[in-house]
Structure formats: C-alpha cells, structure tokens
Amino acid sequence: MNAGGGRGGSAVPDEEWERFLRDSVAGAADAPMEPSAQERGRTGASPGQPVGGPPAWRASGPPRPRRSGKGWYVAGMVAAVAVLAASLTPGLLTGWFGAGDIKPLAVESEHPDQAPPPETPRRPTIDEPFRGSPAARWADGAAGIGVPRPKATGWMSSDQVGHALERTRDFLSWSSLDRQVLEGKHPARAISLINPHQQDVQAFLGSAFRKPDRESDPVLLFSRFDPSTARLVGDTVKTRGRLSFEEGPQGSVRVTGDVTYVYPVVRAQAGSKDVVRTIVRREVVVSWDDPAKIVTEPGTFSLVSYKVDMTNGGCGPVTGYLTPDFDRSRTDAEANGSVVDPYDRSRSMAERTESDGGCGTATRS
C-alpha cells in the first residue's frame, strides 16, 4: 500500500467499488436502528473507555495537557467506504529534514521498544524548524503514517480493508495536516467521514466548535492554531506513527491510528522568527461496520474513542485552538505533572494516560 495518500495499489476499480457501496446500503434496509447510549455502553465501548459522562481530563507537558477522550461505539454506523478523493494539501508531503544530509527514518511499522536517542541541542530556526529534535529524521505529512498490508477481516475482503485504511488515513490527514484546518478553519472534510447519525459525536462536535470547554474541545480530534496568535513555519509538518486493524464487534473492522505530529510555529506578527514546536500525539479508534448488521451511512465510520497528548499546546483556558507558549513564562508551580519525552512512542497512550497527570514538563520539544 502506498504510504503517501490516495487509493494506493487497490485492485478494485472505482466503478465496481461504487456499485458495491450501492448494493451494501440496499442490503442494509432491515438493519437495527442506532441503540441508545446506554445500550452502546453494554455492547461496544473500548475497554477502559467510558461511554457516558464527561471525558477523563488529564494533563502533562510544558504546557502539555493529556486529554483522554470519551469512548464511543455506535452500533448503527458505517457501511462500506465511499470513493472520496485523497486530495492531501499540496506541500504537506514535501519539505526539509532539518539540516545537512540527515537520513530519514523508515516509516514506523510496529510498536517501538525505546525512545529516540538524544539529539545535540540546537534551537530551531525559520530555515531549519526541526533541527535539534528527533523529528528532523521523521517523514513529512501523511508519508509518516504507516499503513499495514490489508487482509480479509470481519465482513470485509482484503481490498475493502485496504479502502478502509486509506479513508482512515484521509481522516488523520484532513484533521491534523490540512493547511486550512491548521490555520483555524472548520475541518469539514474530516467531519464528513464521521457518520452523521452518531448523535453523541455530532453533539460533541457542535459544542466543541460553538462553545469549547474541557468536555468538548476541537483539539481533541483536530489540530488548529488561532491565526491571530500563531502561524506555521514553512509547509511541512513532521509525523511518525501507524495504522493497525483488527476485527471488532459484530464482524466490524476496527482501525486504530496512533500518530505523533510536530508543528513548528512562530508568533502571528509579521517578521516573527522565534520558532517553537507544538507536538501532538493522537490515538483515534474508528469502526467500519457491516451494513448487513448495522444501520450505516456510506463512506463514513463510527468514532469509537480518542486520546490526545500535547506538548506546548496549551495549559490555560480552553480556546478551541492549540496555544503554544512563546515566552516560556510558566512558573514551576504550574508544572505539577510528570516529566515526559514527547517523542517517545515506546509507551502506549493507555500507559501514558494512566501514569501521567497535571501540566508537567517535557524533556525536549
């Protein structure tokens, strides 16, 4: 599978895939309606993820809040995958690796067993915004999201799983890499992949963009900077992570995306040159459901759960945006959490969520 976006090497022509979608939806007419939130809690939530009530908010980092999101499973979503254009934002897949002849790392294909080695401390600059960090060797944009080889799983054939993986990667790209979204625009393309009948998720999204608070914040799922306070440096976001998949409840295909994104930013004022980095790691779990068993909308998935971990993304009031600290003015009294390496992907998000708390200190950014 092509790691950079689009349809990759799928063997299914567009016409056949579209016909498959029509047939799948037609065959789902007798599927059950979406159950209540209480019923979802009995049937489908991820282990350890609450279905009802507010998310479990936790935090660490300089400023580095951890936000462990409400777990969703909706038995009532997602048919097969509609053919959507994999039009990643131009420029996000090209850029620099930092300095000189730094050799890029291979795309992550399995869980790492250790943190990246220490780098020689060097301040980032406008010309080299990733120098002095492990991200200098990471891939650019969606190219850094590893996609496994598809195989028949649950109700899906190998080709159908391949399409589900591509659409899931599209969601990660459109929510965390799209230039307009990063500049504060509404993430309409990403939201279009979430089933509109998933009522609690739609309520969350409505609240998050209308009146963000600790329970409903867009940055749980989408990377956005307030254009009046911060702007991106260059056209490149560094990424490292991967997708994985398994059979879920009722023969569904459950896809997990675990990706770390590194954003170099400066103050919004023209001529600003003090580069800082905001680092966001998200784990998003989605479910592609069997339309013969579940009421679905073509080309959309059920949002099962999310977790997010941020370094220099904001420890103050919720604004709906990532809010980098350019002054490094936070006092030691505010650093009440653990000390964590934001580039360390050897610890799972579950391990970090369980052990980290407060607005702690990152060993490097």
Side-chain angles (χ1 to χ4, degrees):
M1 170 142 332
N2 184 350
R7 294 176 60 86
S10 172
V12 180
D14 289 348
E15 296 79 3
E16 293 184 16
W17 185 248
E18 291 170 348
R19 184 164 54 253
F20 161 76
L21 286 176
R22 292 193 298 268
D23 294 343
S24 296
V25 175
D30 296 327
M33 297 300 292
E34 177 188 357
S36 67
Q38 183 178 9
E39 289 170 329
R40 286 197 298 273
R42 291 196 300 266
T43 61
S46 298
Q49 294 294 317
V51 172
W57 300 92
R58 308 178 72 179
S60 58
R64 184 182 177 276
R66 158 160 289 96
R67 301 181 177 183
S68 177
K70 176 167 62 175
W72 279 301
Y73 178 78
V74 177
M77 317 315 312
V78 189
V81 188
V83 181
L84 300 177
S87 52
L88 300 178
T89 303
L92 287 178
L93 300 181
T94 59
W96 51 80
F97 282 98
D101 297 324
I102 296 177
K103 183 178 180 181
L105 296 174
V107 175
E108 184 177 288
S109 59
E110 59 184 14
H111 193 72
D113 58 6
Q114 59 185 350
E119 304 286 332
T120 301
R122 303 179 69 194
R123 290 188 62 84
T125 67
I126 295 293
D127 293 331
E128 298 181 76
F130 301 103
R131 75 172 186 172
S133 80
R137 297 184 61 199
W138 290 7
D140 300 352
I145 304 175
V147 180
R149 184 184 299 276
K151 64 179 180 179
T153 303
W155 74 280
M156 284 185 165
S157 69
S158 176
D159 287 325
Q160 292 160 5
V161 169
H163 280 281
L165 292 170
E166 290 172 6
R167 296 291 80 78
T168 303
R169 184 181 55 190
D170 285 343
F171 175 79
L172 301 182
S173 298
W174 297 344
S175 61
S176 302
L177 295 173
D178 184 280
R179 185 75 185 203
Q180 291 187 339
V181 175
L182 294 176
E183 293 175 348
K185 298 295 192 300
H186 191 73
R189 284 200 302 173
I191 291 175
S192 72
L193 293 178
I194 302 174
N195 195 293
H197 297 301
Q198 200 171 2
Q199 295 181 4
D200 47 359
V201 178
Q202 296 301 322
F204 161 80
L205 293 172
S207 299
F209 290 101
R210 183 177 61 254
K211 189 176 180 180
D213 57 28
R214 292 278 175 187
E215 296 182 9
S216 301
D217 190 346
V219 300
L220 293 169
L221 288 172
F222 311 100
S223 291
R224 306 164 73 235
F225 293 90
D226 184 344
S228 68
T229 61
R231 59 183 173 87
L232 290 165
V233 176
D235 296 325
T236 302
V237 174
K238 291 292 187 177
T239 60
R240 188 152 185 83
R242 68 194 185 283
L243 302 180
S244 59
F245 66 94
E246 62 183 355
E247 183 172 350
Q250 302 187 62
S252 64
V253 177
R254 182 166 287 190
V255 181
T256 298
D258 180 355
V259 183
T260 302
Y261 309 86
V262 184
Y263 306 99
V265 291
V266 295
R267 289 182 176 87
Q269 290 81 357
S272 297
K273 296 183 178 180
D274 184 15
V275 179
V276 299
R277 289 184 286 256
T278 293
I279 305 165
V280 179
R281 181 180 176 185
R282 287 195 185 89
E283 180 190 87
V284 179
V285 184
V286 304
S287 178
W288 297 93
D289 296 318
D290 182 353
K293 300 178 181 178
I294 301 299
V295 174
T296 64
E297 286 293 326
T300 63
F301 55 69
S302 300
L303 181 61
V304 178
S305 66
Y306 60 79
K307 297 185 181 73
V308 61
D309 182 81
M310 295 184 293
T311 292
N312 199 23
C315 261
V318 175
T319 65
Y321 299 98
L322 298 169
T323 54
D325 179 6
F326 295 102
D327 297 323
R328 315 286 184 175
S329 58
R330 189 165 47 82
T331 66
D332 290 341
E334 292 175 286
N336 56 12
S338 57
V339 177
V340 178
D341 179 358
Y343 294 97
D344 182 4
R345 293 183 47 79
S346 64
R347 296 175 62 196
S348 71
M349 289 291 283
E351 291 173 321
R352 293 172 70 155
T353 300
E354 290 170 358
S355 61
D356 299 340
C359 197
T361 302
T363 59
R364 51 184 172 177
S365 63

